[in-house]
């Protein structure tokens, strides 16, 4: 028993010497290290790289070609006048060099719609990054404040251990002078052992939650730290203000709005098929041919080529009409998705705000209950010292106090979770 108590107090002293990790520091580490955030950032970089006029088809393509053909043959020729010519190992060489440019100068404004669509896809990537960041910041907040309330529970259990030790000492003293039975001492010892067991279990949960937070922060799971001692709940949140913020900041709603814009630009690209497509081309070519047999032993040519092509769809089996109809349905679906997300968001806000108000009231009630339980314990402890109440009555008051502490700590934590949930829905969770 003495070794267990020594181990506990040595651990408590070491915890006090640990570095305090603030919530702001935890969020900063998560923003830098978290794997999901880093992946989302790289996805956004891909979207940013795609926003280029060349990717939209606005720039020409330039190609260079080299073709060199060589041959050695045993050849014979008979001309129209009856003359015959033959040559073994006759060589034939041809070389073609050229540079060509091809440029679509008009495609029914499809390229401009595509460029605008690439910009919208970048905005969608930014929205996805924000959603990932908010989600991970929420995880950091929830896990951090879980540690805070567990740390408070450890403190409450520590207070209970101190009281249980005092009770055991009083029982032993009273037994020594003949004012208490051995049964009272044994009951006090059993209750102390129970409190130590509860403390050890709570410490195990506390350490596992530390590992969870370190995992979210993408750092060594064995990194040790402490958190702050109290939970401060923002009790001034207003539903109207949160709703207004959600309309303009909620990343899921913003993603649906961007998706509709992407669909509208897709329709523009489809409609471009009703216009002609005009391409211009130019190039410079060099050609040379050598032959050991034949009418011409060597030819060469070089010069500039240029021209244009224009094409227009006249009839494609109603393929154009079908594509436009599908694109319009895509816009309609995007609008429905926006309305659905707005309705879902509104419902979530109303429900979460109701839970928030209830949890605020419960946290205030539990805070008062803890004060009452503390006063009751102080009075009971004094009566126990002078022997006017039984051991059972004292233990009841002790358990009432520790349970009130635990409920109060949990109520503050649950109220904080409600606050975090509301700010997440409003897209206003600070990071």
């Amino acid at each position: 028993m003495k070794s267990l108590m020594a181990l506990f107090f040595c651990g408590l002293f070491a915890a006090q010497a640990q570095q305090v990790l603030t919530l702001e520091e935890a969020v900063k580490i998560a923003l830098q290290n978290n794997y999901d955030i880093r992946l989302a950032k790289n996805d956004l970089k891909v979207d940013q790289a795609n926003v280029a006029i060349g990717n939209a088809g606005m720039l020409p393509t330039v190609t260079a070609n080299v073709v060199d053909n060589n041959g050695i043959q045993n050849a014979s020729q008979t001309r129209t006048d009856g003359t015959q010519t033959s040559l073994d190992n006759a060589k034939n060489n041809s070389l073609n060099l050229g540079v060509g440019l091809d440029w679509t100068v008009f495609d029914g404004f499809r390229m401009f719609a595509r460029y605008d669509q690439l910009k919208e896809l970048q905005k969608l990537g930014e929205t996805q990054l924000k959603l990932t960041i908010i989600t991970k910041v929420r995880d950091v907040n929830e896990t951090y404040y879980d540690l805070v309330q567990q740390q408070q529970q450890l403190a409450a259990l520590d207070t209970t251990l101190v009281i249980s030790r005092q009770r055991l000492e009083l029982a032993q003293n009273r037994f020594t002078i003949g004012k208490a039975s051995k049964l009272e001492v044994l009951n006090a010892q059993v209750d102390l052992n129970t409190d130590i067991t509860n403390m050890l279990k709570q410490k195990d949960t506390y350490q596992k939650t530390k590992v969870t937070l370190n995992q979210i922060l993408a750092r060594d799971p064995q990194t040790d730290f402490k958190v702050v001692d109290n939970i401060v709940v923002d009790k001034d949140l207003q539903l109207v203000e949160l709703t207004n913020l959600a309309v303009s900041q909620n990343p899921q709603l913003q993603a649906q709005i961007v998706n509709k814009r992407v669909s509208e630009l897709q329709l523009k690209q489809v409609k471009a098929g009703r216009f002609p497509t005009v391409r211009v081309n130019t190039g410079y070519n060099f050609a040379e041919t050598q032959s050991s047999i034949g009418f011409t032993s060597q030819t060469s040519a070089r010069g500039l080529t240029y021209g244009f092509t224009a094409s227009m769809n006249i009839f494609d089996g109603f393929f154009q009409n079908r594509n436009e109809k599908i694109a319009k349905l895509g816009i309609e679906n995007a609008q429905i998705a926006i309305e659905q997300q707005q309705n879902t968001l509104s419902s979530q806000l109303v429900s979460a705000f109701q839970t928030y108000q209830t949890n605020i009231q419960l946290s205030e009630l539990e805070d008062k209950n803890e004060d009452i339980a503390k006063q009751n314990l102080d009075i009971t402890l004094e009566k126990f010292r002078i022997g006017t109440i039984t051991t059972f009555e004292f233990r009841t008051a002790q358990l009432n106090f520790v349970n009130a502490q635990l409920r109060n700590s949990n109520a503050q934590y649950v109220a904080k979770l409600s606050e975090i949930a509301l700010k997440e829905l409003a897209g206003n969770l600070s990071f």
Side-chain angles (χ1 to χ4, degrees):
M1 176 56 61
K2 291 182 179 179
S3 61
L4 283 175
M5 293 300 297
L7 180 62
F8 165 70
F9 284 109
C10 287
L12 184 62
F13 177 78
Q16 292 174 348
Q18 294 166 6
Q19 179 183 1
V20 176
L21 176 70
T22 66
L23 178 62
E24 291 76 13
E25 291 171 342
V27 170
K28 182 179 180 181
I29 294 171
L31 292 177
Q32 294 175 344
N33 296 349
N34 183 267
Y35 298 113
D36 290 335
I37 293 177
R38 288 162 60 187
L39 289 171
K41 286 180 178 179
N42 282 340
D43 289 340
L44 177 58
K45 289 179 181 178
V46 172
D47 294 332
Q48 291 171 337
N50 281 331
V51 181
I53 57 176
N55 196 27
M58 295 183 181
L59 297 179
T61 58
V62 180
T63 57
N65 296 292
V66 178
V67 179
D68 185 12
N69 292 316
N70 301 279
I72 300 177
Q73 298 175 332
N74 296 328
S76 63
Q77 292 180 347
T78 301
R79 298 186 176 91
T80 56
D81 60 359
T83 304
Q84 294 184 347
T85 304
S86 62
L87 179 66
D88 293 337
N89 298 323
K91 294 182 179 181
N92 297 284
N93 304 315
S94 66
L95 175 65
N96 290 275
L97 304 174
V99 178
L101 178 147
D102 187 81
W103 193 358
T104 301
V105 295
F106 182 76
D107 62 354
F109 306 104
R110 179 186 286 111
M111 64 182 73
F112 297 99
R114 174 60 180 164
Y115 186 62
D116 290 339
Q117 189 181 56
L118 291 173
K119 291 180 180 178
E120 294 300 321
L121 290 174
Q122 178 183 333
K123 291 180 182 179
L124 185 60
E126 293 169 352
T127 303
Q128 294 296 336
L129 174 59
K130 182 179 179 181
L131 178 60
T132 301
I133 290 176
I134 287 180
T135 300
K136 293 307 169 183
V137 170
R138 177 207 62 197
D139 293 343
V140 171
N141 274 262
E142 291 180 350
T143 309
Y144 185 90
Y145 284 112
D146 188 15
L147 283 172
V148 174
Q149 67 113 3
Q150 289 187 36
Q151 198 165 267
Q152 291 174 342
Q153 292 179 4
L154 285 172
L157 293 173
D158 179 42
T159 302
T160 302
L161 276 176
V162 172
I163 296 173
S164 294
R165 291 179 68 243
Q166 292 177 353
R167 174 190 166 196
L168 178 60
E169 291 176 1
L170 287 173
Q172 289 173 337
N173 292 336
R174 292 172 63 182
F175 174 73
T176 301
I177 62 177
K179 289 187 176 182
S181 66
K182 183 66 174 178
L183 181 61
E184 183 176 325
V185 176
L186 293 176
N187 284 335
Q189 184 67 68
V190 169
D191 290 339
L192 176 60
N193 291 344
T194 300
D195 294 339
I196 293 175
T197 299
N198 293 334
M199 171 65 80
L200 292 175
K201 289 180 178 179
Q202 184 58 49
K203 287 185 69 176
D204 179 63
T205 302
Y206 180 64
Q207 293 299 329
K208 288 178 179 178
T209 308
K210 277 188 177 181
V211 173
T212 300
L213 182 57
N214 282 328
Q215 181 183 8
I216 297 173
L217 303 184
R219 63 181 188 175
D220 187 347
Q222 295 184 347
T223 302
D224 207 2
F225 59 92
K226 279 185 62 178
V227 293
V228 297
D229 297 325
N230 62 327
I231 298 176
V232 179
V233 181
D234 185 354
K235 300 180 181 181
D236 299 324
L237 298 181
Q238 300 297 323
L239 182 58
V240 174
E241 181 181 352
L242 291 168
T243 301
N244 292 335
L245 287 173
V247 170
S248 60
Q249 295 184 173
N250 181 271
Q252 291 172 309
L253 179 58
Q254 295 304 309
Q256 296 295 348
I257 294 174
V258 174
N259 278 330
K260 181 184 177 183
R261 178 62 178 158
V262 171
S263 298
E264 291 171 345
L265 291 169
Q266 183 64 33
L267 176 60
K268 284 188 175 182
Q269 293 181 66
V270 172
K271 285 185 174 181
R274 293 188 177 276
F275 294 88
T277 300
V278 180
R279 296 184 178 88
V280 297
N281 60 82
T282 184
Y284 186 86
N285 295 284
F286 169 79
E288 183 180 69
T289 302
Q290 295 180 350
S291 178
S292 300
I293 188 172
F295 292 101
T296 304
S297 62
Q298 179 178 352
T299 61
S300 64
R302 69 188 68 190
L304 183 69
T305 61
Y306 57 89
F308 80 95
T309 60
S311 62
M312 184 174 181
N313 174 39
I314 302 300
F315 179 74
D316 60 358
F318 304 108
F319 188 74
Q320 178 69 31
N321 293 339
R322 188 162 51 250
N323 283 347
E324 289 183 14
K325 183 177 180 180
I326 293 172
K328 289 177 181 178
L329 288 173
I331 296 175
E332 183 178 341
N333 285 342
Q335 180 60 39
I336 293 173
I338 291 175
E339 294 172 1
Q340 181 184 33
Q341 186 62 43
Q342 288 174 334
N343 182 265
T344 300
L345 184 57
S346 178
S347 300
Q348 289 175 333
L349 279 169
V350 171
S351 178
F353 190 76
Q354 179 61 48
T355 302
Y356 163 78
Q357 289 181 313
T358 301
N359 289 334
I360 291 294
Q361 294 174 354
L362 290 174
S363 66
E364 293 173 348
L365 179 60
E366 292 297 345
D367 192 48
K368 293 177 181 178
N369 283 340
E370 182 179 344
D371 290 337
I372 295 172
K374 178 64 169 62
Q375 295 176 28
N376 181 58
L377 178 63
D378 292 340
I379 296 172
T380 305
L381 181 58
E382 290 301 321
K383 289 184 177 182
F384 180 73
R385 283 174 177 162
I386 61 179
T388 59
I389 63 172
T390 64
T391 301
F392 176 77
E393 291 174 313
F394 175 78
R395 181 62 175 175
T396 300
Q398 182 186 15
L399 291 178
N400 285 340
F401 175 60
V402 68
N403 288 333
Q405 285 183 301
L406 297 179
R407 287 199 309 271
N408 187 23
S409 174
N410 184 69
Q412 300 296 327
Y413 170 61
V414 172
K416 190 65 180 179
L417 290 184
S418 300
E419 174 200 329
I420 293 170
L422 280 172
K423 290 183 176 179
E424 180 186 9
L425 289 171
N428 196 37
L429 193 58
S430 176
F431 52 85

